[in-house]
Amino acid sequence: MSSQEESRQAPAQARTQALDGWTPWPAEMADLYRRAGYWRGDTFGRLLRERAARHPDRIALVGGDRRLSYGELDRRADRLAAGLLRLGLRPRDRVVVQLPNIAEFFEVCFALFRLGALPVLALPAHRRAEIAYFCEHTEAVAYVIADRDGGFDYRELASQIRRDVSTLRHVLVAGEPGEHTALSSLDREPVELPEPAAGDVAFFQLSGGSTGVPKLIPRTHDDYLYSVRASAEICGLDEGSVYLAVLPVAHNFTLSSPGSLGVLHAGGRVVLCRRPSPDEAFPWIERERVTLTALVPPLASVWLESARAARHDLSSLKVLQVGGARLPAEVARRVGPTLGCKVQQVFGMAEGLVNYTRLDDPDAIALETQGRPISPHDEVRVVDDEDRDVEPGQVGHLLTRGPYTIRGYYRADAHNEKAFTRDGFYRTGDLVRRTPEGYLVVEGRAKDQINRGGEKIAAEEVENHVLAHPAVRDAALVAMPDAHLGERSCAFLVARGQPPPAREINAFLRERGVAPYKVPDRIEWLDALPTTSVGKVDKKALRRWIADRLAQGARA
Ligand code: OOB
């Protein structure tokens, strides 16, 4: 085959050098995933182009008072890409994107995909500490924000970040730009842009994490689009699907499981909801005849409560997905009778692997398991502390590798040694058991993390922030049970001298720019932290102590 023919047949495979700090799949696995038809050489930019060509006038996005057709979204992505190029952005430049659930999120992401620049998807709750880290670690050249959201002014945060991060050249604002650049000003005649390679990194997700600093997850067009396509199929999406994005759009669950991208892939409609409360979501469901949405367990409970007295017509809902944290079977059982739709459990992770209960599963599976993997090529192992497979049905550590699970975090060599096995399995940190039918039940967690109603808090990260306070000598953050959120965080602290009031510690953390959900829900002062026989902090004892204490309080 001449080289010309080769490049015509597989333009997306025309690889340049891999992005530094990224761990690609071994060549033989990449071949396998291509041969199996999982990796098709498609890109996000082309996906939108094709859908827009097929049905330009159909509505793709609804949010606030905006309604964008596929054709309009496609054009806007082209014009914004041209504007970004003119501004000086280049392929592979990293761009931290922190937007609420508004149409601009998709305009910006698709524009960056077209340009080959790499979005780093931050969450609206992140503050100075997290954003500065993402910008520094990725050497981001631009930061995209909304002017204000939920009473918070992102422009002020951006001004601080610009002062602190030397690589950052542009702050782009959806809405009133203040001293920054308005996104709406970046509108140029489309220009011809080279297609990024499908096997290359397309963007970064964030890890819930369990270490001192957050980890970044590089996802390729090939791997992510496979998970999107397969998810859309498992969830039965088609052109009539209407998805309500309630959780933050940038989260893996909302974005791709099957989420907004799954619905855009299927030619359906994405409705963007700014707040997850029933007050805001229910009217959208009625007005747009929403068929599918995704919630974390605490929100599902709140919705079920409100739905009983709802004045809105929710009858269009066919599937309610719940994931991000363990859904109690009692809550799962109430979904059908209360909302008149199916419940689907989703156990996924930004690193890759996503499990779904299937829509035709019997209740015993749909209500009591967290689903099974997307792909026949998702390899799942359940092992003991020495990485030996446990007996079938026993609880162990979940390890996984496959066609859409990363082989390493971005620029994190030392951590990758621990987070992945030598043969490339990701250590999820979850404790699971596998049913005879191959479904997973999440039984607990071995990672040092708090799952606060689906929001993940890395204990070490918060401990490091608390330890920066001059009055704190020692710190351990653990999960405590909570009737509503499942878990909340409790910080056990040892003072140097007189312990300051808890509110002083919390104010200190806010001042350091730590995201509000990471600020401890409770602080307990001790003379010393308990230790295990090998001298490590005995977090098990701390968890037991606070759980007992709360149980006593509840009885009293
Ligand atoms: C999702 O992704 P992340 O990256 O925020 O968090 C992943 C972790 C898992 O390792 C597990 O510890 C926990 O969240 N988790 C669940 C769960 N779903 C996630 N634990 C128990 N039951 C579940 N159903 O949370 C995520 C990504 C894609 C789809 C859905 C959730």
Side-chain angles (χ1 to χ4, degrees), residues 45 48 60-63 66-84 97 99-115 119 144 172-175 182-187 249 255 261 264 272:
L48 176 60
L61 293 174
V62 179
R66 296 188 67 188
R67 294 179 87 78
L68 258 84
S69 68
Y70 278 85
E72 284 164 336
L73 179 58
D74 185 52
R75 261 192 306 283
R76 179 69 187 128
D78 276 343
R79 299 185 64 89
L80 184 53
L84 291 168
V97 176
L99 289 172
N101 292 7
I102 55 177
E104 284 86 342
F105 174 84
F106 294 94
E107 296 175 338
V108 167
C109 286
F110 279 108
L112 292 170
F113 292 146
R114 288 253 158 97
L115 194 59
V144 186
L172 311 174
V173 186
L183 266 178
S184 57
S185 70
L186 302 175
D187 189 61
V249 270
L255 194 59
L261 291 178
L264 294 178
L272 299 162

Side-chain angles (χ1 to χ4, degrees), residues 187-392:
D187 189 61
R188 293 278 180 286
E189 274 306 302
V191 290
E192 195 68 41
L193 292 165
E195 173 102 6
D200 271 355
V201 173
F203 70 103
F204 297 91
Q205 284 270 337
L206 305 176
S207 158
S210 56
T211 57
V213 288
K215 294 288 176 288
L216 288 149
I217 298 170
R219 303 290 303 254
T220 65
H221 294 269
D222 264 339
D223 93 73
Y224 210 66
L225 277 173
Y226 167 53
S227 78
V228 165
R229 259 193 334 264
S231 295
E233 194 178 324
I234 288 169
C235 300
L237 300 189
D238 59 27
E239 295 177 349
S241 300
V242 183
Y243 178 74
L244 187 70
V246 174
L247 303 172
V249 270
H251 191 270
N252 202 44
F253 190 9
T254 326
L255 194 59
S256 67
S257 308
S260 309
L261 291 178
V263 172
L264 294 178
H265 161 82
R269 178 185 307 173
V270 177
V271 179
L272 299 162
C273 189
R274 291 284 284 258
R275 309 271 157 260
S277 67
D279 288 357
E280 182 148 347
F282 288 3
W284 276 123
I285 296 177
E286 176 174 289
R287 210 175 317 142
E288 297 291 330
R289 306 294 298 156
V290 168
T291 60
L292 168 72
T293 188
L295 302 176
V296 287
L299 262 180
S301 299
V302 170
W303 278 37
L304 287 170
E305 236 2 88
S306 301
R308 294 200 306 191
R311 292 162 292 118
H312 292 97
D313 176 7
L314 307 179
S315 63
S316 57
L317 261 185
K318 288 188 193 143
V319 178
L320 176 69
Q321 298 185 301
V322 188
R326 173 79 187 259
L327 175 67
E330 313 79 74
V331 181
R333 201 160 289 130
R334 280 164 48 208
V335 171
T338 313
L339 288 170
C341 68
K342 274 199 177 356
V343 63
Q344 179 178 48
Q345 301 212 36
V346 188
F347 163 40
M349 51 207 73
E351 286 81 357
L353 181 72
V354 180
N355 303 276
Y356 296 98
T357 55
R358 303 308 200 252
L359 298 177
D360 55 0
D361 279 338
D363 274 3
I365 286 179
L367 304 180
E368 318 230 356
T369 80
Q370 278 64 64
R372 65 179 159 88
I374 289 179
S375 176
H377 278 80
D378 278 321
E379 298 173 68
V380 163
R381 291 183 61 201
V382 185
V383 302
D384 66 15
D385 290 343
E386 268 76 53
D387 285 354
R388 290 174 305 221
D389 292 307
V390 299
E391 292 296 319

Side-chain angles (χ1 to χ4, degrees), residues 4 247 325 390 399 482:
Q4 216 179 0
L247 303 172
V390 299
L399 310 183
D482 181 77

